[in-house]
Amino acid sequence: MNNQYKTLKNQVKIPSIGLGVYLMEPGDQTRCAIQYGIKAGYTHFDTAQLYQNEQSVTDALNGLGIKRENFFITTKINRLNHGYDNAIESYQQSLDEAKLKYFDLLLIHWPEGPIRKETWKALEHLYREKRCRAIGVSNYTIKHLEEMKEYAEILPMVNQVEFHPYLYQKKLLNYCQKNDILLQAYSPLTHGEKINDEKLSKISLNYNKTNAQILIKWGLQQGLVVLPKSTKEHRIQENFDVFDFEINNNDMDILNSLNENLRTCWNPSNVE
Ligand SMILES: NC(=O)c1ccc[n+]([C@@H]2O[C@H](COP(=O)([O-])OP(=O)(O)OC[C@H]3O[C@@H](n4cnc5c(N)ncnc54)[C@H](OP(=O)(O)O)[C@@H]3O)[C@@H](O)[C@H]2O)c1
C-alpha cells in the first residue's frame, strides 16, 4: 500500500493518513493499535495531552525499533494547559513522558478564550527552539484564524477540525487553502454515527469498497489529511487501503451534497 504526503508551508512533509488514538486506553490497547498501524503502513499518529496515551504511542514505536525520523507524531496542548508558562511546562512534560526530543506537530487543542493568544506565543517559542517541527491549531473557526493575523508572528501551519460529508465545512476549507493552512479531518468516520448510511453504501458498491474507505477517500480527494481511529486490526488495515481507487466526479458531487452540519464532537462556533 502506498502512503502519500502533504507538504506544510514550512516544507515539513506529513503523511496524508494518520491513526487517531482518541479514547484508546493507555497501555496495551494503544500499543496494539500502533503495532497494527505500523504493519498496515501508517507512519503518522495523532495523540493529545487529553488522551493520556502519548507515552504508550511512543513506547510502541520504540518497541518496534522504528527510527524517530520514520514516524510523524502530533500532540495537542490541553484546554487546562492554556497560557504561556503552562503550555511550555505541559509540553515539556509530554516530551519527557513520551521520551521524545520533539513532536512533529504541536497544536492548540481548543480555542478556549482570550488566553489562546498567550498559548500561541508559547507555541511560536517552542517552534523557534526546534522543540517541534510544525505548529498549528485545532477547532479554530475562520474568526479565530483571522484574529491570529493580529497577534501571531508565525501563522498556523495546520487546523485540525471535524470534517466529513455530513459536516462539509467548505468555507473553512477554502479559507485554509487560500491562507496555506493544511486542514486535518478529525472524526472522518463521523465517530461511527453515519457509517451505515444507505446513501453512502450505494456509492461504496460502485468501487467494491467499504463505507469507511469511501469517507476516508472523500477527505483525501478534498485535499485533507485524514485521521481515522480504530483499535481493531482489520479496520486499521481497511482504513489505510484507500490508495488504489478514485471516487469519480459524479459520486463526489453526491457525497458533497450530504451535509447536515452534523457535529459528533465539539462545536467551536460560539467560542469568543
Ligand atoms: N482535535 C480534536 O478536537 C479531535 C476531536 C476528535 C477526534 N480527534 C482525532 O481524530 C481521530 C478520529 O476521530 P474519532 O475517534 O472521533 O472518530 P472516527 O475515526 O470518525 O470514528 C471512530 C469510530 O469508528 C469505528 N470505526 C473505525 N474504523 C471503522 C471501520 N472501518 N468500519 C466501521 N467502523 C469503524 C471505531 O470503532 P473501533 O475502534 O471499535 O474500530 C470508532 O467507534 C481521533 O482518534 C483523534 O485523533 C481530534
Side-chain angles (χ1 to χ4, degrees), residues 22 46 138-139 160 187 189 191 229-230 232 235 238:
Y22 176 45
D46 184 79
S138 177
N139 293 299
Q160 184 182 121
S187 305
L189 308 177
H191 205 67
K229 172 260 174 185
S230 177
K232 301 190 172 59
R235 286 178 170 174
E238 173 187 324

Side-chain angles (χ1 to χ4, degrees), residues 245-262:
F245 78 109
E246 287 287 310
I247 305 174
N248 67 35
N249 289 343
N250 189 38
D251 288 336
M252 282 300 281
D253 286 345
I254 296 172
L255 291 164
N256 292 347
S257 72
L258 297 181
N259 182 44
E260 45 188 72
N261 297 322
L262 171 74

Side-chain angles (χ1 to χ4, degrees), residues 19-23 46-47 51 76 107 109-110 138-139 160-161 185-192 195 210 212-213 227-232 235-236 238-239 264-266:
L19 182 66
V21 301
Y22 176 45
L23 296 181
D46 184 79
T47 181
Y51 308 165
K76 314 181 192 90
L107 305 178
H109 208 147
W110 177 257
S138 177
N139 293 299
Q160 184 182 121
V161 298
Y186 79 62
S187 305
L189 308 177
T190 69
H191 205 67
I195 200 83
T210 65
Q213 289 169 324
L227 304 169
K229 172 260 174 185
S230 177
T231 51
K232 301 190 172 59
R235 286 178 170 174
I236 288 174
E238 173 187 324
N239 296 345
T264 66
C265 195
W266 288 336

Side-chain angles (χ1 to χ4, degrees), residues 27-255:
D28 283 351
Q29 190 177 55
T30 304
R31 271 200 296 275
C32 286
I34 300 299
Q35 283 166 7
Y36 303 146
I38 289 288
K39 201 167 138 197
Y42 295 73
T43 52
H44 171 182
F45 304 93
D46 184 79
T47 181
Q49 293 175 341
L50 177 74
Y51 308 165
Q52 298 186 350
N53 55 20
E54 293 159 309
Q55 184 183 350
S56 303
V57 172
T58 51
D59 278 354
L61 293 166
N62 290 333
L64 292 167
I66 311 289
K67 282 197 187 142
R68 179 64 189 91
E69 61 271 28
N70 292 337
F71 61 87
F72 188 104
I73 180 165
T74 301
T75 197
K76 314 181 192 90
I77 300 289
N78 191 7
R79 290 182 70 174
L80 299 174
N81 294 329
H82 267 274
Y84 189 87
D85 291 339
N86 276 348
I88 289 180
E89 276 164 32
S90 71
Y91 182 61
Q92 188 56 49
Q93 198 178 334
S94 292
L95 286 172
D96 291 345
E97 283 176 13
K99 298 179 205 75
L100 289 176
K101 290 203 175 73
Y102 62 92
F103 280 85
D104 294 279
L105 176 61
L106 174 61
L107 305 178
I108 295 180
H109 208 147
W110 177 257
E112 204 59 32
I115 196 168
R116 63 178 170 263
K117 299 179 191 175
E118 298 303 312
T119 314
W120 185 251
K121 292 285 159 202
L123 266 64
E124 289 178 335
H125 170 75
L126 292 164
Y127 177 67
R128 286 200 187 96
E129 295 241 298
K130 299 195 179 356
R131 288 156 76 186
C132 53
R133 294 172 67 223
I135 51 176
V137 294
S138 177
N139 293 299
Y140 274 42
T141 63
I142 293 176
K143 188 190 81 171
H144 302 128
L145 293 168
E146 267 299 288
E147 180 201 62
M148 291 189 83
K149 291 180 179 166
E150 293 162 20
Y151 65 84
E153 287 173 45
I154 303 170
L155 287 164
M157 295 147 197
V158 167
N159 186 20
Q160 184 182 121
V161 298
E162 182 168 352
F163 207 102
H164 42 69
Y166 306 89
L167 180 62
Y168 185 21
Q169 305 197 61
K170 198 154 195 282
K171 265 195 194 157
L172 179 63
L173 175 60
N174 288 342
Y175 175 92
C176 287
Q177 285 173 339
K178 209 169 127 210
N179 287 276
D180 210 2
I181 300 169
L182 181 81
L183 204 68
Q184 293 189 330
Y186 79 62
S187 305
L189 308 177
T190 69
H191 205 67
E193 278 191 37
K194 290 282 185 179
I195 200 83
N196 296 317
D197 183 5
E198 274 177 24
K199 291 180 217 137
L200 200 54
S201 307
K202 253 188 174 174
I203 292 179
S204 311
L205 281 177
N206 296 341
Y207 302 90
N208 200 18
K209 289 284 178 183
T210 65
N211 289 2
Q213 289 169 324
I214 294 296
L215 288 171
I216 292 164
K217 192 68 183 191
W218 177 84
L220 295 176
Q221 289 186 211
Q222 294 287 346
L224 312 173
V225 160
V226 185
L227 304 169
K229 172 260 174 185
S230 177
T231 51
K232 301 190 172 59
E233 182 165 17
H234 69 283
R235 286 178 170 174
I236 288 174
Q237 258 170 21
E238 173 187 324
N239 296 345
F240 201 77
D241 182 15
V242 293
F243 294 109
D244 60 349
F245 78 109
E246 287 287 310
I247 305 174
N248 67 35
N249 289 343
N250 189 38
D251 288 336
M252 282 300 281
D253 286 345
I254 296 172
L255 291 164

